[in-house]
Amino acid sequence: NAGVTQTPKFQVLKTGQSMTLQCAQDMNHEYMSWYRQDPGMGLRLIHYSVGAGITDQGEVPNGYNVSRSTTEDFPLRLLSAAPSQTSVYFCASSYYRPSGRETQYFGPGTRLLVL
Amino acid sequence: KNQVEQSPQSLIILEGKNCTLQCNYTVSPFSNLRWYKQDTGRGPVSLTIMTFSENTKSNGRYTATLDADTKQSSLHITASQLSDSASYICVVGATSINNAGNMLTFGGGTRLMVKP
């Protein structure tokens, strides 16, 4: 199994540009989520999905869209990039919601710089 | 507001020595507590997961403890190795109301450097 994969690894955008961060998992996990990690802060939840066709907002959803057309893929779209979205983005997956003993698996991250 | 505070922010130890990282939380209602290891430039990897009824959990040289009464947890690393150099993140899960949301609160992490 490849686990959770993310592309690209690094991206530079100009303010106002849009882009899609890709996330895929091959573990047949129902639950997938996107986080951002900023220096000195804990990971913060952007959006999550409990299964194909179902998504919901997390703690910091503004400026981001998601969709879940398949179990495997969960892309994150930046609609109009802003410097405040400079961050490292992590995708994670688990069989079910990460409650109790459910282990969450993280991708390697995408480092985004918005100029 | 749910919060997870970790201390120290950073730590330097010599190879072979032991160390203990601390985590204090104010998360309610408590469901579980996790420790992750995050190598530089990589995603977090799960080390231990503890629920309310557990007060200790080991994974090789890593031992996590949980005191749900004082809302504190620690991660003890025994006989440190150079490969232990990483950030260690404490994550506390809350029981979700109406099964909504992720309900995980992440600490800011402790950056550990092990020197030869």
Side-chain angles (χ1 to χ4, degrees):
Chain A
N1 287 351
V4 180
T5 58
Q6 292 184 236
T7 57
K9 290 184 178 180
F10 181 73
Q11 183 72 46
V12 179
L13 290 179
K14 294 181 179 179
T15 296
Q17 288 185 315
S18 62
M19 78 160 295
T20 298
L21 281 64
Q22 301 292 343
C23 173
Q25 52 89 13
D26 61 358
M27 298 175 281
N28 202 31
H29 286 170
E30 290 294 330
Y31 191 93
M32 296 185 74
S33 51
W34 277 101
Y35 295 89
R36 60 178 288 172
Q37 186 176 38
D38 300 298
M41 298 181 67
L43 276 76
R44 292 181 293 169
L45 181 66
I46 303 171
H47 285 284
Y48 67 96
S49 169
V50 299
I54 306 171
T55 64
D56 207 344
Q57 297 181 351
E59 180 185 357
V60 288
N62 292 341
Y64 308 95
N65 273 357
V66 293
S67 60
R68 184 97 178 268
S69 57
T70 67
T71 298
E72 294 78 18
D73 301 299
F74 191 42
L76 177 72
R77 279 182 285 278
L78 278 69
L79 309 173
S80 178
S84 60
Q85 294 179 304
T86 294
S87 188
V88 182
Y89 292 86
F90 290 100
C91 179
S93 76
S94 54
Y95 279 110
Y96 303 112
R97 297 176 189 273
S99 59
R101 296 181 178 280
E102 190 65 43
T103 298
Q104 205 172 20
Y105 297 87
F106 285 83
T110 293
R111 187 175 297 272
L112 177 67
L113 174 63
V114 182
L115 302 175
Chain B
K1 181 181 178 182
N2 291 335
Q3 287 188 310
V4 176
E5 299 290 338
Q6 293 187 240
S7 61
Q9 282 191 322
S10 62
L11 182 63
I12 301 174
I13 62 173
L14 293 176
E15 185 179 13
K17 297 298 186 181
N18 303 335
C19 68
T20 301
L21 314 181
Q22 300 292 341
C23 173
N24 294 339
Y25 63 91
T26 54
V27 174
S28 182
F30 176 84
S31 172
N32 60 89
L33 188 143
R34 304 151 181 258
W35 283 93
Y36 285 87
K37 178 186 180 186
Q38 185 177 21
D39 293 315
T40 301
R42 309 288 289 273
V45 175
S46 180
L47 292 176
T48 63
I49 302 175
M50 291 181 290
T51 58
F52 184 87
S53 60
E54 298 170 294
N55 55 25
T56 186
K57 180 69 70 75
S58 291
N59 179 356
R61 294 180 296 101
Y62 301 101
T63 299
T65 64
L66 171 64
D67 186 333
D69 291 332
T70 61
K71 299 186 178 181
Q72 296 179 325
S73 176
S74 65
L75 181 69
H76 186 74
I77 304 174
T78 303
S80 61
Q81 301 175 358
L82 298 179
S83 60
D84 292 331
S85 294
S87 287
Y88 292 85
I89 302 172
C90 176
V91 184
V92 182
T95 302
S96 59
I97 299 172
N98 298 325
N99 210 26
N102 193 328
M103 306 303 290
L104 295 180
T105 303
F106 288 74
T110 291
R111 184 177 295 275
L112 174 66
M113 180 178 295
V114 181
K115 290 193 170 183

